[in-house]
Amino acid sequence: MDQQEYFDKLAQAVSQLTAAITNVSLYPPTHPRVAPYIDRTHESLTDMLEITPQVMVLLIDDELVSSNRKIVLPGSAGQVFVKILKKKGVESISFITGLPRSHLEDLIQGLASTDAKALRSTSCIKLGKVEVAGGAAKEDEGVEEDEALRKKTLDEEIREFNDYREHGLSSMRDMYNAIKQGERMDIKVIHSIVGEFVRRFRREMNPLSLLGQIKNHDEYTFVHVTNVALLVMCQAEALGFSGANLHDIGVAALLHDVGKLIIPETIVAKPSSLTVEEREVMEQHATLGAQYLISQKEIPSLALLAALEHHIKFDGTGYPAIPGKWRPHIVCQLITIGDVFDAMRSRRPYRDAMPMPEIVNIMRKSSGSVFNPMLVDFFLRLIER
Ligand SMILES: [Fe+2]
Ligand SMILES: [Fe+2]
């Protein structure tokens, strides 16, 4: 199946799914006006899931997107599906290998139902939701609960998350020091930090509440990479990535600046702006990082790519200079967003931290040049909740 066939199949699956949802509000799922649509959706998705472990459809700016490409549906099916997703507050749907037909049936009934609780993720269908303050659909709408108690629990969980992050930071510091002294990188440390982040993260947590602050000048690099990992994992989770994919994304984000360990400390930790020559040396951290990771064992290939591509902008400029119209991997585009955001919000010896409205303004202005417009918009909504 080539790329075009893949996207044709996806468009077919989504339009069959839309037909099933609209018809299931009139007939039961076993009815001949519904069942064949479910069968065809299931068939197309199963074919696709044979060549990829996950098929993700995102709703970004009223458009359906998959693997960074717009999905074009025949007739009005696209508009109808977008309307259904918006009404339910669903921002992404991920279909995962092994998808049983019954899960698809549940999704169709959930999307057609007026009962908010009828729509939920299953082991093979993950629904991503960003709940914008004052937004329409909330999963817990109508459910009576003790708000104060719920809030306190969430606050406690955030506090515990932050306590763990400090522990993760000290593991990163030890690992960085060991690498600087020529020891091999212990990838188990990275896996354990990412695993704990995934385990402790709740979708209701605003990513900004999880970030660490730089207390000493020399701890910038490992506080920064940890913050970037958190920002990227929050984006990826909200976009519907899960399981091993989400874990690898966290590992890649945590290692994106590993090349800085090879750059002289006098440049990395210079307390003032870099000269042109120093900047050229500093920019080598991307290729040096990728080369370093190639020499290590059991590193996900995504981490190599992230180290190499995280300073390549959405429009193909940046560094390292790669000829042709190079578009970074979608995960590297997420890392670029987290990377630039954290750099601007951090206080450095040669400048203060930027105020949030200024950061948001710069990020919006860089939409389409530095950042993927759809992803940066998604990110800003995520942190502005
Ligand atoms: Fe970097
Ligand atoms: Fe970075």
Side-chain angles (χ1 to χ4, degrees):
M1 193 187 297
D2 66 20
Q3 217 192 21
Q4 190 53 50
E5 283 169 335
Y6 179 89
F7 281 99
D8 289 347
K9 219 172 237 304
L10 181 57
Q12 201 184 351
V14 177
S15 59
Q16 297 293 318
L17 179 66
T18 310
I21 299 162
T22 42
N23 286 0
V24 88
S25 46
L26 303 169
Y27 308 99
T30 49
H31 192 278
R33 299 290 297 266
V34 181
Y37 290 120
I38 305 180
D39 287 339
R40 286 198 287 268
T41 311
H42 186 237
E43 224 168 83
S44 300
L45 288 171
T46 304
D47 284 353
M48 298 168 76
L49 291 168
E50 269 173 21
I51 58 164
T52 180
Q54 180 169 318
V55 173
M56 195 188 314
V57 177
L58 307 172
L59 172 64
I60 302 176
D61 274 351
D62 287 0
E63 283 185 351
L64 298 169
V65 175
S66 183
S67 299
N68 215 16
R69 196 166 138 171
K70 188 176 162 186
I71 310 170
V72 183
L73 301 186
S76 60
Q79 282 164 302
V80 174
F81 192 59
V82 165
K83 214 168 151 187
I84 293 168
L85 294 185
K86 285 179 87 171
K87 200 170 157 195
K88 291 286 178 185
V90 174
E91 301 260 355
S92 70
I93 305 181
S94 291
F95 301 98
I96 294 160
T97 301
L99 174 70
R101 190 186 180 283
S102 60
H103 288 212
L104 211 49
E105 213 173 281
D106 290 345
L107 172 74
I108 290 162
Q109 287 189 298
L111 285 170
S113 170
T114 49
D115 176 7
K117 281 189 284 177
L119 181 64
R120 51 171 63 97
S121 294
T122 68
S123 56
C124 289
I125 300 180
K126 300 287 177 204
L127 300 171
K129 260 172 97 171
V130 172
E131 291 183 3
V132 181
K138 280 192 175 181
E139 262 176 42
D140 56 359
E141 214 169 86
V143 177
E144 274 186 37
E145 68 180 307
D146 186 338
E147 274 296 317
L149 185 66
R150 193 181 69 80
K151 186 149 189 337
K152 189 177 163 217
T153 307
L154 184 62
D155 284 348
E156 276 172 4
E157 285 187 317
I158 290 173
R159 219 169 14 251
E160 282 170 16
F161 195 111
N162 283 316
D163 288 346
Y164 175 74
R165 191 205 55 241
E166 289 304 307
H167 170 76
L169 278 174
S170 87
S171 304
M172 283 295 287
R173 180 192 291 117
D174 294 347
M175 197 187 80
Y176 268 30
N177 288 337
I179 294 173
K180 277 188 200 166
Q181 281 160 20
E183 288 178 28
R184 286 193 78 83
M185 182 172 70
D186 186 359
I187 188 69
K188 283 199 240 76
V189 173
I190 300 284
H191 282 308
S192 136
I193 295 172
V194 172
E196 280 299 313
F197 282 167
V198 172
R199 195 174 72 77
R200 292 163 185 270
F201 178 70
R202 304 279 172 270
R203 185 165 292 177
E204 297 80 10
M205 294 174 177
N206 185 317
L208 299 187
S209 64
L210 309 177
L211 302 181
Q213 301 295 338
I214 301 158
K215 295 175 203 95
N216 296 307
H217 168 54
D218 62 349
E219 61 180 27
Y220 175 72
T221 302
F222 54 83
V223 175
H224 165 70
V225 294
T226 310
N227 284 344
V228 173
L230 289 167
L231 290 166
V232 172
M233 289 171 80
C234 290
Q235 293 176 78
E237 201 275 344
L239 288 168
F241 286 97
S242 60
N245 288 330
L246 182 62
H247 187 95
D248 279 0
I249 291 171
V251 170
L254 213 42
L255 291 173
H256 79 274
D257 268 340
V258 74
K260 284 191 183 170
L261 297 176
I262 306 162
I263 304 290
E265 191 76 8
T266 46
I267 295 181
V268 177
K270 190 179 173 190
S272 54
S273 305
L274 300 181
T275 64
V276 175
E277 293 75 24
E278 287 167 338
R279 184 153 294 284
E280 276 171 16
V281 175
M282 183 66 153
E283 289 184 357
Q284 289 171 14
H285 80 275
T287 38
L288 289 174
Q291 280 166 7
Y292 172 78
L293 292 175
I294 288 172
S295 72
Q296 302 296 305
K297 281 184 192 154
E298 294 166 31
I299 308 290
S301 51
L302 188 60
L304 271 65
L305 206 55
L308 184 70
E309 289 189 339
H310 71 277
H311 287 287
I312 301 179
K313 299 172 189 172
F314 183 67
D315 63 9
T317 63
Y319 64 88
I322 294 187
K325 284 201 164 197
W326 191 270
R327 170 85 28 107
H329 187 283
I330 188 162
V331 171
C332 301
Q333 295 177 24
L334 297 178
I335 293 177
T336 302
I337 291 173
D339 191 36
V340 174
F341 178 82
D342 186 64
M344 288 194 284
R345 69 172 276 286
S346 301
R347 189 169 59 82
R348 306 308 311 278
Y350 48 89
R351 64 153 172 80
D352 283 338
M354 281 188 200
M356 196 55 77
E358 197 181 331
I359 296 176
V360 171
N361 200 18
I362 291 174
M363 292 193 80
R364 282 201 202 287
K365 278 191 184 150
S366 310
S367 172
S369 53
V370 181
F371 308 120
N372 178 324
M374 292 181 291
L375 294 181
V376 75
D377 184 57
F378 189 78
F379 173 75
L380 293 174
R381 279 191 284 152
L382 202 60
I383 60 164
E384 284 172 345
R385 283 181 297 170

